[in-house]
Amino acid sequence: MRSESRSNMPLLPDVDTLRLCSLLASTAFGAVFIALWLRDRGETHLLYWAAGSCLYGAVILGFSLTPRGEIPTTTLLFGGLGLSNVIALAGARRLDGQSPFRWWMLLSIVAAALGHGGPRLAVALGGLAPTSLVPNVGDALGLSLSMAINGGAMLWGRWTYPTAGHRIVGAALLAYVPGYALSIAGEYGALRGMEMLALFAMLSDQVLLGIVNLGLLAIPVERAQQQLRQAALRDPLTGAWNRAGLELRKRRLLAAGATAIAIDIDHFKTINDCHGHSAGDRILALFGREAERLSKAQGGELARLGGDEFAILLPAACREPERFAERLRAHLQTQADDAIAWSVSMGMAAVLEGEEDFDAALHRADSALYQAKAEGRGLIAL
């Protein structure tokens, strides 16, 4: 009778063999991350990724060695699955300059552990029948939620330098969820009682585990490329866009009603002559930091055109550009050092209907700037 029922079962891969493949692949990627870290020990995010890969391999080994009835141990192992993905996410956050761990990341670990241990505790206490499918469904739902938290954070997180690597890792983690859903369907079909969750998880590993780790490897490479491109388009002292950067950024702002503001630091040559170029550099850096912060809050862009000459482009959606300019002028006055008094003059002009670039508006703003300087400096002219 038993042999007949087994002969009617579909031919499926051996779970233990799949586990061995996942264990070897995960450990190999962990070794790669460690080798890369040994080459440059300042890249501490690689240690996070190595720890996540090695932990995942250890958890798989733990499942192979632990009898199914040892609920406390298997609950810890499920929590370890969630933790391995949290550590990978923490490494990406560390690379991005963020705090590696946040409280909400615990939800991923708790979901995986509670999805497994909660229903089984209910069975032990008599709240569920021993033949209930809820424990197996709980395993899949807990891991699905855990993967969704980590994959979603990787895919839609607020990264300083978002990359294709983030999207690849996030999408690959989320791609595990359909496999867990299929395991639930299998429990209610002809494949009941055949370790469906382990089978689909290990099958998913054969496709997705390499994608996740290769995506992680791609993140720092793409990030470095973006940083180089940004550096080539920004002024290193002030952080403002240079002329080339302005050419690329101003296209998104071009519309009738957008505003160009030309700005000069008053008597800047005198500041350099009397207080030294280091004092002038400090003023330029301070101006760049504060002007960029305020202009970004309005959706605008700051560019350094040369020397102490700057331009701010504001979108048409900025309804009161004159008030913005006055607020910027007043704010900069509060930042001035008592030992070195300095101010800025500004000229403003709007992009007119039919104008195809900012050049004409910038020219009008520059003319207004000269008017402000002629009238006494520290002024705003339209």
Side-chain angles (χ1 to χ4, degrees), residues 255-271:
T259 303
I261 306 176
I263 308 171
D264 264 8
I265 297 176
D266 296 325
H267 303 294
F268 188 70
K269 184 178 184 304
T270 302
I271 293 173

Side-chain angles (χ1 to χ4, degrees), residues 115-292:
H116 176 78
R120 283 164 176 78
L121 179 61
V123 170
L125 297 176
L128 288 174
T131 57
S132 173
L133 294 179
V134 172
N136 292 338
V137 172
D139 289 347
L141 291 179
L143 287 178
S144 294
L145 179 57
S146 178
M147 283 294 189
I149 292 171
N150 289 290
M154 191 70 76
L155 191 59
W156 295 296
R158 294 184 178 180
W159 305 105
T160 305
Y161 294 95
T163 69
H166 290 100
R167 295 190 292 273
I168 289 170
V169 175
L173 291 176
L174 292 175
Y176 277 90
V177 175
Y180 300 148
L182 287 174
S183 74
I184 296 175
E187 288 291 346
Y188 285 94
L191 302 179
R192 181 177 181 180
M194 294 185 63
E195 291 190 282
M196 291 307 302
L197 180 62
L199 175 63
F200 280 106
M202 293 300 101
L203 284 173
S204 297
D205 264 357
Q206 310 316 304
V207 178
L208 299 173
L209 187 60
I211 295 175
V212 168
N213 287 286
L214 290 174
L216 290 175
L217 286 169
I219 292 173
V221 176
E222 290 185 83
R223 189 173 187 273
Q225 291 174 339
Q226 289 188 32
Q227 288 175 321
L228 287 173
R229 285 195 293 267
Q230 290 279 329
L233 298 174
R234 285 194 180 274
D235 171 56
L237 177 61
T238 64
W241 297 109
N242 57 26
R243 288 182 179 271
L246 180 63
E247 283 297 318
L248 293 176
R249 302 297 296 179
K250 69 183 185 181
R251 297 171 190 167
R252 74 173 184 86
L253 301 172
L254 182 61
T259 303
I261 306 176
I263 308 171
D264 264 8
I265 297 176
D266 296 325
H267 303 294
F268 188 70
K269 184 178 184 304
T270 302
I271 293 173
N272 278 334
D273 291 343
C274 295
H275 300 281
H277 288 278
S278 61
D281 286 349
R282 286 197 301 273
I283 291 173
L284 288 172
L286 187 151
F287 171 84
R289 182 180 69 248
E290 297 302 316
E292 182 177 29

Side-chain angles (χ1 to χ4, degrees), residues 26-381:
S26 185
T27 305
F29 276 111
V32 169
F33 290 132
I34 291 174
L36 291 173
W37 172 75
L38 288 173
R39 187 190 63 181
D40 186 353
R41 300 195 180 190
E43 303 293 329
T44 52
H45 60 278
L46 294 168
L47 285 179
Y48 286 83
W49 294 343
S53 292
C54 292
L55 175 61
Y56 185 64
V59 168
I60 292 174
L61 180 61
F63 276 118
S64 299
L65 300 177
T66 303
R68 296 183 65 180
E70 294 189 12
I71 306 306
T73 303
T74 53
T75 300
L76 287 175
L77 291 173
F78 268 81
L81 289 175
L83 178 58
S84 66
N85 291 318
V86 165
I87 293 174
L89 175 61
R93 290 174 58 86
R94 177 61 179 258
L95 175 63
D96 200 58
Q98 304 180 44
S99 173
F101 295 100
R102 297 295 302 273
W103 68 266
W104 53 264
M105 298 166 77
L106 288 172
L107 298 176
S108 175
I109 304 169
V110 172
L114 195 60
H116 176 78
R120 283 164 176 78
L121 179 61
V123 170
L125 297 176
L128 288 174
T131 57
S132 173
L133 294 179
V134 172
N136 292 338
V137 172
D139 289 347
L141 291 179
L143 287 178
S144 294
L145 179 57
S146 178
M147 283 294 189
I149 292 171
N150 289 290
M154 191 70 76
L155 191 59
W156 295 296
R158 294 184 178 180
W159 305 105
T160 305
Y161 294 95
T163 69
H166 290 100
R167 295 190 292 273
I168 289 170
V169 175
L173 291 176
L174 292 175
Y176 277 90
V177 175
Y180 300 148
L182 287 174
S183 74
I184 296 175
E187 288 291 346
Y188 285 94
L191 302 179
R192 181 177 181 180
M194 294 185 63
E195 291 190 282
M196 291 307 302
L197 180 62
L199 175 63
F200 280 106
M202 293 300 101
L203 284 173
S204 297
D205 264 357
Q206 310 316 304
V207 178
L208 299 173
L209 187 60
I211 295 175
V212 168
N213 287 286
L214 290 174
L216 290 175
L217 286 169
I219 292 173
V221 176
E222 290 185 83
R223 189 173 187 273
Q225 291 174 339
Q226 289 188 32
Q227 288 175 321
L228 287 173
R229 285 195 293 267
Q230 290 279 329
L233 298 174
R234 285 194 180 274
D235 171 56
L237 177 61
T238 64
W241 297 109
N242 57 26
R243 288 182 179 271
L246 180 63
E247 283 297 318
L248 293 176
R249 302 297 296 179
K250 69 183 185 181
R251 297 171 190 167
R252 74 173 184 86
L253 301 172
L254 182 61
T259 303
I261 306 176
I263 308 171
D264 264 8
I265 297 176
D266 296 325
H267 303 294
F268 188 70
K269 184 178 184 304
T270 302
I271 293 173
N272 278 334
D273 291 343
C274 295
H275 300 281
H277 288 278
S278 61
D281 286 349
R282 286 197 301 273
I283 291 173
L284 288 172
L286 187 151
F287 171 84
R289 182 180 69 248
E290 297 302 316
E292 182 177 29
R293 181 174 63 83
L294 292 178
S295 60
K296 272 189 173 181
Q298 297 293 323
E301 302 286 0
L302 171 71
R304 185 182 183 186
L305 304 181
D308 62 321
E309 300 174 9
F310 293 84
I312 291 177
L313 304 183
L314 296 175
C318 182
R319 298 297 183 185
E320 298 179 313
E322 296 89 352
R323 181 174 293 182
F324 163 81
E326 179 54 40
R327 187 167 64 250
L328 173 61
R329 187 193 65 80
H331 175 72
L332 291 173
Q333 280 189 336
T334 68
Q335 301 296 309
D337 192 325
D338 292 338
I340 308 175
W342 60 279
S343 62
V344 296
S345 297
M346 303 187 199
M348 303 178 61
V351 175
L352 303 179
E353 196 73 44
E355 291 184 338
E356 298 180 354
D357 54 40
F358 272 97
D359 291 348
L362 281 169
H363 180 74
R364 292 192 296 271
D366 199 49
S367 298
L369 169 63
Y370 278 99
Q371 178 186 340
K373 292 167 78 76
E375 292 178 355
R377 303 179 189 268
L379 302 175
I380 301 170

